[in-house]
Amino acid sequence: MKNLPKVAIIGRPNIGKSTLINRICKSREAIVHKQPMITRDRKYYLSDWNGKDFYLLDTGGIDLKSTKRLSLEIFIQAKKAIDEADVIIFMVDISEPVSVMDGEIAQILRKSEKEIIFVGNKWDDPGRSFYTEDYLEFGFGYPLKISAIHGKNIGDLLDLVAEKLPADAQEEKIDKDELPVIAILGRPNVGKSTLFNTFIREERAIVDDIEGTTRDSIDSIVTIREKSYRFIDTAGLKRQKKNMDDLEYYSKLRTERAASESDIALILVDSSKLKITKQDVKIVEMCIDKGISICIVFSKIDLASSEVLDELIKDLDHSLRFAHFIPFLKISANTKKGLGSVVKMIDTLMEERTKKISDKKLTELFKSLAQEKGIFIKGKQFKVKFVRQIKTSPPSFLIFCNLDATKKVNIRRYVENNIRKEFDFTGAPIFLKFKY
């Protein structure tokens, strides 16, 4: 990410920046909503045009008049995007008159001395009148008229971007598909963004005491001790409501999609709270169903007494009695306590989920178990003829046996428990398929 040129899209709230991102990326990567201030953090999207690769930086809308703390945090993220960008797309809405906010942003961009591409969005109906000439006062010339939602003149815009990009930029060759992917999950306001920022050593995700500050998933590649990892910060998963608004719904979908793309989930639990909630358990169950390796991370331990922590761990042990294979850690992202153990745990979980056991070892294990005690269904002993590990990441096994055990919970537990006892698979869900 360091060496590819960056193109930042800058403008006031709700003028179509995220819509333009989705149009250029030919996807629905960025959340688009009529409510302002949906984009909050600084997000990077890999794109290319005319043989040139670059990162698009999506930023929150700048509103310098707002007294809200969140608006200030969004401006800080946008300012960082301006500082690191090689080219800036300054977007205005030419269907509306010039606003004070537009003028303030233009003043900031003039001082940046960066390459500016001036763009007038919402040119949806060329037959109507627009305020194009009014924007000449900014000194950037006529804005290039585009319609992000309809795709008008997007090719012309990208031609200008490619023309202004530095010619000598080279990308570090890191294959994202080969990297361990770690999603940071949990309920709202448990410290996910603080932990994410700590790992990437940069303030990319806005951290606030307000619940739901992170709306979308953001990811970053981090190299720690010469090993690379891809971390994803996600929106907090709230308890399911009957009447969920569309913004909450799409944030939830993005988080679940990020989880599905991950190898490992660090599920954060706020140590300052008094108990494990049903929602914490549901997040664990979701990850197990998706085959994601799990580590429970008790965050904010600097805010909890040792007695509260001990009670939480007991509560966790009881709530997750169906999943004793899941390890846990105690950390404080603010004081950095326990962070080294997180990276070691990630390496362990990756090693465990990618482990391959030979057919011989698996089959011999169950033959020896049958001779010792075995397990019976309606008076008939369950016998394993042959076992094969058919997949890793997550580990999956095919069991050839003498009885139909597909729906027998006690058989499934017997097989899984014995595989874990002999071969471990810490943190990894195990999937079983029976043939008889």
Side-chain angles (χ1 to χ4, degrees):
M1 183 175 291
K2 292 177 181 176
N3 297 328
L4 267 190
K6 300 179 183 72
V7 180
I9 303 177
I10 303 295
R12 60 183 171 86
N14 216 21
I15 55 167
K17 297 184 294 298
S18 294
T19 304
L20 179 60
I21 290 278
N22 289 339
R23 174 63 63 180
I24 293 173
C25 295
K26 298 175 183 174
S27 67
R28 292 186 177 271
E29 290 290 332
I31 293 180
V32 177
H33 197 273
K34 61 185 178 182
Q35 182 182 328
M37 296 204 320
I38 297 308
T39 303
R40 298 174 174 185
D41 307 304
R42 193 161 91 254
K43 291 199 68 176
Y44 295 74
Y45 301 93
L46 185 60
S47 191
D48 69 279
W49 187 256
N50 287 346
K52 289 192 175 183
D53 295 323
F54 56 93
Y55 280 107
L56 276 173
L57 277 63
D58 191 15
T59 62
I62 297 173
D63 181 1
L64 295 175
K65 295 295 182 187
S66 175
T67 56
K68 292 179 182 177
R69 178 180 166 183
L70 186 59
S71 295
L72 175 61
E73 295 284 358
I74 289 171
F75 170 67
I76 290 169
Q77 291 295 322
K79 184 67 172 66
K80 286 180 179 179
I82 292 168
D83 291 342
E84 67 178 293
D86 299 284
V87 177
I88 294 169
I89 296 174
F90 174 29
M91 180 183 282
V92 295
D93 179 356
I94 56 172
S95 68
E96 295 180 357
V98 175
S99 74
V100 174
M101 281 188 282
D102 292 323
E104 289 171 339
I105 295 167
Q107 191 173 358
I108 292 168
L109 295 180
R110 276 194 294 271
K111 291 177 182 177
S112 73
E113 299 182 352
K114 297 290 179 80
E115 289 278 7
I116 307 291
I117 299 174
F118 191 27
V119 168
N121 191 29
K122 304 194 180 179
W123 189 56
D124 304 333
D125 178 10
R128 61 163 285 190
S129 59
F130 292 90
Y131 294 89
T132 311
E133 283 77 14
D134 294 1
Y135 286 91
L136 291 173
E137 66 179 72
F138 294 159
F140 297 123
Y142 279 95
L144 172 66
K145 292 181 281 190
I146 69 164
S147 171
I149 198 165
H150 297 301
K152 292 177 182 175
N153 287 347
I154 302 301
D156 293 343
L157 169 59
L158 289 172
D159 284 343
L160 278 174
V161 169
E163 185 182 302
K164 292 180 181 294
L165 288 175
D168 56 349
Q170 294 289 323
E171 163 87 312
E172 279 185 48
K173 295 297 180 183
I174 297 178
D175 187 352
K176 285 178 76 171
D177 295 333
E178 297 297 319
L179 298 181
V181 182
I182 301 99
I184 304 174
L185 303 174
R187 292 181 293 120
N189 207 24
V190 293
K192 298 182 297 298
S193 293
T194 304
L195 181 61
F196 175 78
N197 288 339
T198 302
F199 277 124
I200 69 170
R201 305 180 189 92
E202 182 185 355
E203 293 287 335
R204 264 190 62 198
I206 292 174
V207 178
D208 201 290
D209 293 334
I210 300 169
E211 188 177 286
T213 301
T214 302
R215 286 281 176 79
D216 204 350
S217 301
I218 28 179
D219 69 306
S220 191
I221 295 171
V222 180
T223 301
I224 303 170
R225 297 192 209 98
E226 299 183 353
K227 291 179 74 172
S228 294
Y229 309 84
R230 183 179 160 215
F231 285 92
I232 306 177
D233 183 24
T234 63
L237 286 165
K238 298 180 181 179
R239 183 172 58 85
Q240 186 81 36
K241 296 188 295 188
K242 285 185 179 178
N243 299 315
M244 184 182 287
D245 67 44
D246 55 352
L247 185 54
E248 287 179 319
Y249 173 74
Y250 284 115
S251 290
K252 177 175 175 285
L253 276 187
R254 297 298 172 93
T255 296
E256 290 178 352
R257 186 176 73 178
S260 298
E261 294 173 355
S262 303
D263 300 298
I264 294 166
L266 301 177
I267 301 177
L268 268 63
V269 174
D270 188 344
S271 299
S272 64
K273 305 302 180 186
L274 297 177
K275 66 173 187 175
I276 304 297
T277 67
K278 288 182 180 178
Q279 184 62 9
D280 293 321
V281 176
K282 283 185 178 178
I283 295 170
V284 171
E285 290 172 340
M286 176 194 76
C287 291
I288 291 173
D289 291 342
K290 292 178 181 293
I292 306 161
S293 293
I294 302 164
C295 176
I296 304 291
V297 180
F298 289 100
S299 64
K300 306 183 185 181
I301 59 169
D302 51 315
L303 302 179
S305 65
S306 58
E307 291 80 10
V308 169
L309 266 174
D310 289 342
E311 284 302 314
L312 267 177
I313 291 166
K314 285 181 186 175
D315 194 10
L316 174 75
D317 202 43
H318 176 73
S319 300
L320 299 182
R321 54 193 178 278
F322 61 91
H324 285 304
F325 61 90
I326 297 174
F328 70 88
L329 295 171
K330 295 180 282 187
I331 69 157
S332 169
N334 282 327
T335 65
K336 308 294 188 289
K337 187 175 181 180
L339 290 182
S341 62
V342 176
V343 179
K344 289 178 184 175
M345 179 60 73
I346 288 168
D347 290 340
T348 298
L349 293 177
M350 281 304 298
E351 189 178 320
E352 291 292 311
R353 75 182 276 108
T354 56
K355 188 161 57 179
K356 185 80 163 66
I357 310 300
S358 70
D359 300 350
K360 183 181 178 182
K361 285 183 179 179
L362 287 163
T363 304
E364 284 178 353
L365 167 65
F366 284 98
K367 283 185 177 178
S368 65
L369 287 169
Q371 291 170 2
E372 289 174 15
K373 48 186 175 180
I375 187 168
F376 292 80
I377 300 175
K378 294 180 180 179
K380 191 171 183 180
Q381 185 179 10
F382 170 74
K383 292 182 180 179
V384 173
K385 300 174 183 177
F386 180 73
V387 187
R388 169 166 289 168
Q389 186 176 353
I390 54 176
K391 189 175 178 287
T392 62
S393 196
S396 305
F397 300 87
L398 180 62
I399 294 98
F400 293 87
C401 52
N402 65 328
L403 300 172
D404 183 6
T406 305
K407 296 180 181 179
K408 302 293 182 182
V409 175
N410 59 333
I411 295 288
R412 299 185 78 86
R413 282 180 183 159
Y414 168 78
V415 173
E416 181 177 339
N417 289 343
N418 279 293
I419 288 174
R420 289 193 185 280
K421 186 177 178 181
E422 186 70 19
F423 305 110
D424 202 359
F425 291 105
T426 299
I430 285 177
F431 292 87
L432 303 174
K433 186 176 181 181
F434 293 89
K435 279 197 172 185
Y436 74 102

